[in-house]
Amino acid sequence: MWPYSWPVLALLIGFAVTAALTITAHALYTHNEDRVLGLRVKEEAQVLATALPGVQTPLASSAALADATNGNRRKFRAFIQPYVGLGLGRPFVSVSLWQLNAIGRGPKVVVGTSPQLSPGAAKPFLTHAETNAQLSVRPMLSGPAPNVGYAMTAHGASAYAAYAETVLPAQHYSPASPSSAFSDLNYAIYVGNTPQPQNVVLTSVRHLPIPGHQAVAKIPFGDIVLTLVVSARRPLGGTLPQSLPWIIAITGAVLTLLASLLMFRLSQGRESATRLAHTLEDIAAENRRLYGEQRDIAQTLQHSLLPEELPRLHGADVSARYQAGEQGVDVGGDWYDVITLDDDRVLMVVGDVSGRGLRAATTMAALRHAILAYAAENHSPAEILTKLSRLLSVTEGGKLATVMCAALEIPEHQVTLASAGHLPPLLIDDTGGGFLDGPVGPPIGMEQGVSYRAKTYPVPSRATLLGFTDGLVERRGESLDQGLARLRRAAMSNHSALPELLESLLSNLRGDRPEDDTAIVGIRWQA
């Protein structure tokens, strides 16, 4: 045999194996980069989607305030002023109030800079906003001072519209901060379903399209759709996976020259890869275990802030349920309470603090204990909400809360209801039912010292009163009226006992993976 046969054979086999490993490593690296980029574009899309409430809520609230105060300039200006300017947490440079039946006269109140919305464009845009349940968005992307306009009216018949503008940077260029979680990505945000250069809103590059392999996400934003396009500025999985194919190729070529060491190194590499896979599996299992423990702790803390037990009522049944959402391990701000006032009267309370986390939970606990104290002093529902409005300020604490207080007189079959921006309770009996749309004031924390009003309703025999938070009726992509109508149909068609009714409503109305927490409490008259 030719003396160089084995070295040549080892050389050929070694190069073949090295080439195969190099191609495999490159394919794995490419696949992993694509997968991570897909996850990152979803994360950034979620961050952009969370900006919608920060725009929609102050505009809707200011429009509702204008309707409630007949367009009072001073109150409108005082409410919206914290949202206007160039500082942190001020989303608008201009907010104006328009009277819908006199749009041609121009804005009634302007806070900040004068709006760029021309009189000719104002009427069709604000008229559209009047009939639009979502936030109306008007991108104005051309010209030397590009901006985005937003319009919102109060729910139902409204006499006023709130219009705001946000200025975009020159040439739409807005690079990510080096300390940002997305500093390793190039991005471009477009209006519409296709990334057209003339529709760009913001981008981190000076020249479009953005370079590199791209991932795309669609983001519903009010009544328009945004298209987010991202690419990686550097390897998302680290520099080692990027360099691994070259490392394998060079190392394999060197090791191939030494056939005796080749098998040893390949075996050693395989063992290392196996250990690494096992280590990653152990880390993943540990992360799942820690996440489960944190979620259990959060749920335990949440339930500890709710009533331990409900009172036993003479002449009525009472039941309540709470179910956490799927948003991670943060504590939410939804709560309920049923407080005995005397032998014949109870106070039903349902509330929802904005946001999640420890601040939302502590705010919720403070409001709940304050209500317990005011109820012990025999204050009416309207007086309780009026006093609560002095305890919380969104400008100071960054939190606001919707609260529904209902005083129930069991023998007299009466309900006295006051609401601070909360959803109306549902009253049903054997013949029908509907929502108690009484006087609704602003959420607690929005305006300090506001006076709330209450209304008393008669209650039919064997009726059931249901109070709930928005997690029971809100679904992404549909109006709140649809969710309320769905709840009414489900409650009226179910003639089960009260606990079974609440369980059925929770399981049938919240969907497969509910994002928001839900609290529901019900009282049913026995006669």
Side-chain angles (χ1 to χ4, degrees), residues 488-502:
R488 181 175 178 271
R489 290 193 301 270
M492 291 179 59
S493 63
N494 191 319
H495 304 289
S496 304
L498 185 58
E500 287 76 14
L501 172 62
L502 300 189

Side-chain angles (χ1 to χ4, degrees), residues 377-391:
E377 296 174 357
N378 204 28
H379 290 294
S380 68
E383 292 172 337
I384 290 175
L385 296 183
T386 301
K387 289 179 177 293
L388 284 182
S389 69
R390 304 188 183 102
L391 301 181

